[in-house]
Amino acid sequence: MRIPIRPCFFVILAAVLVACGKASPAPGAAVTEPVSDEPPPAALPLPSDASAAVPDEPTPEITYGWSTTASTRTELSFGFPGEWDGSSPLTFGEGEFVKDPDQPIGVTFRIALSGDPAAMLADWGRESVGIVGIVTFLPSTTADAAAVTVARITAPTKTGEGDGITARVVYLPRAGDVLEIMWFAPTDQWEDLQPVFQQVLDSVEIWRRFNSQETGLLTMYLHDWLEPRMPPEEQGLWFQSADQRTGLLIYVENALADPAKKLAEWDVSRLSALGFGQCSMEPGDRMGVMGGQWESLTGECVDAQVGKITYEAAYVPNKDRVLEFITYAPSDEWAVANQKAFSCLLGMMLDIR
């Protein structure tokens, strides 16, 4: 599967780390990605989403050399400058932070908050704000600021200034809590750092953890996707975007089998249940899933409603069974679907039986 961005890292139930199919450090360790010597990736097309505007993707000029992190504990993923410290758990409260090692410049993510986001925003700045041990100050002035869009959620923000520090905050409702994101810097550097902060916000993705008792599989999926369900007629899992144009099908075959032989026998008729026709088929890139890289098939189909669809299929041995994975998305959204959903959704999947 083509993965057009640098891989992200995941903490699985705070016990196992998975780096989108690569080996990971010990539990609880700060998870960062080393700077690559590879040239920056090309800019990617953005998906069309009728329900919400999608923010621009971070530009290679700013995000080249950045690190990425993600966690099932926080149900967050985001990128940040590679020279910053983190991502690290907050010492007080629940969440994560990243910051410059020498200056009060960074971003904090507080989770497990409760209340009305609008009321929380209104109260912010009336007393000292920030995170103990990272940055705290008493704003001498506060002001409402323009709304920002994070993970396709648009919400108002507020700025505060005091003690030589400027910060801006947003409160985002999630399925089980309220998320606070605050970014801060010395006031005399605030304006110059806005492009960096914007790219951090653009990189943030909100996830939902999913544990399937029927299949014994654990992973996360994008917060605005549909609740995963069983596929028609067979055992497995079906992940779909809200518009049902993009998805991942997992079929469970409860018997040992040779993945290479299964793939050689695979046929595009497996896509007929999705309504896809006129499908081509050719060898694909290796699909990164379940801790390995597996041979795959890929091609393009025609869907009566969506138009051209790109798919990728692979078989993966899993203890006493074999799993069939099929990813698909509109062809003009395929690269972004890999970036935002497939590469990480597949890479952090575990069998927890």
Side-chain angles (χ1 to χ4, degrees):
M1 173 168 47
R2 296 174 176 86
I3 303 176
I5 63 168
R6 301 159 64 84
C8 48
F9 292 77
F10 296 87
V11 182
I12 302 296
L13 294 178
V16 180
L17 287 175
V18 177
C20 294
K22 295 186 178 180
S24 303
V31 184
T32 59
E33 182 185 354
V35 175
S36 171
D37 293 329
E38 297 178 358
L44 301 175
L46 293 176
S48 58
D49 186 342
S51 62
V54 179
D56 290 339
E57 290 303 311
T59 60
E61 292 77 10
I62 292 178
T63 60
Y64 177 51
W66 278 35
S67 298
T68 55
T69 184
S71 168
T72 58
R73 181 177 59 83
T74 62
E75 298 184 336
L76 287 172
S77 65
F78 56 90
F80 57 97
E83 68 272 16
W84 285 11
D85 289 338
S87 167
S88 302
L90 297 176
T91 303
F92 302 97
E94 294 190 57
E96 302 282 330
F97 75 91
V98 291
K99 71 177 293 293
D100 185 283
D102 303 315
Q103 303 180 78
I105 299 170
V107 184
T108 60
F109 301 83
R110 293 176 63 203
I111 64 170
L113 302 177
S114 61
D116 174 42
M120 298 167 77
L121 186 67
D123 288 340
W124 187 84
R126 293 180 179 176
E127 299 178 352
S128 292
V129 301
I131 305 294
V132 175
I134 301 171
V135 64
T136 56
F137 70 100
L138 178 63
S140 56
T141 61
T142 61
D144 293 333
V148 296
T149 299
V150 178
R152 297 164 301 284
I153 301 174
T154 300
T157 68
K158 193 174 185 179
T159 58
E161 181 179 330
D163 301 331
I165 298 292
T166 298
R168 189 173 171 188
V169 69
V170 63
Y171 290 92
L172 301 172
R174 302 199 304 177
D177 67 355
V178 175
L179 165 68
E180 178 199 87
I181 305 178
M182 185 183 73
W183 51 109
F184 55 89
T187 299
D188 59 0
Q189 300 182 56
W190 177 253
E191 291 301 328
D192 291 340
L193 286 165
Q194 291 313 296
V196 175
F197 289 135
Q198 185 61 55
Q199 301 310 326
V200 174
L201 293 177
D202 288 346
S203 74
V204 174
E205 194 53 79
I206 296 174
W207 300 82
R208 298 185 68 177
R209 184 167 43 201
F210 182 72
N211 182 354
S212 169
Q213 298 297 323
E214 293 80 10
T215 65
L217 295 175
L218 168 70
T219 189
M220 293 198 299
Y221 63 98
L222 295 177
H223 73 99
D224 49 0
W225 277 31
L226 301 176
E227 183 77 16
R229 60 189 178 92
M230 296 289 287
E233 301 180 356
E234 299 183 51
Q235 183 185 11
L237 287 173
W238 194 359
F239 297 86
Q240 287 182 289
S241 61
D243 60 11
Q244 301 182 332
R245 291 156 52 99
T246 300
L248 163 64
L249 270 170
I250 306 171
Y251 292 115
V252 177
E253 182 176 321
N254 290 306
L256 293 174
D258 179 0
K261 182 179 179 181
K262 296 285 293 184
L263 190 65
E265 296 171 348
W266 193 88
D267 186 80
V268 294
S269 60
R270 293 291 285 165
L271 303 172
S272 60
L274 296 170
F276 302 161
Q278 304 178 41
C279 299
S280 62
M281 185 173 68
E282 63 184 57
D285 293 338
R286 289 178 176 267
M287 181 182 286
V289 59
M290 303 290 288
Q293 298 286 325
W294 309 98
E295 297 291 344
S296 67
L297 294 170
T298 189
E300 197 169 62
C301 304
V302 174
D303 178 84
Q305 297 180 338
V306 178
K308 291 185 177 180
I309 294 286
T310 298
Y311 73 88
E312 186 173 27
Y315 283 96
V316 177
N318 175 225
K319 297 181 180 178
D320 56 348
R321 62 187 183 180
V322 65
L323 305 178
E324 177 187 357
F325 289 87
I326 302 173
T327 59
Y328 61 91
S331 294
D332 59 354
E333 302 174 15
W334 177 251
V336 173
N338 273 321
Q339 171 193 333
K340 282 193 167 292
F342 298 149
S343 63
C344 293
L345 192 161
L346 292 169
M348 62 186 163
M349 189 165 294
L350 291 176
D351 182 348
I352 58 172
R353 294 178 298 161

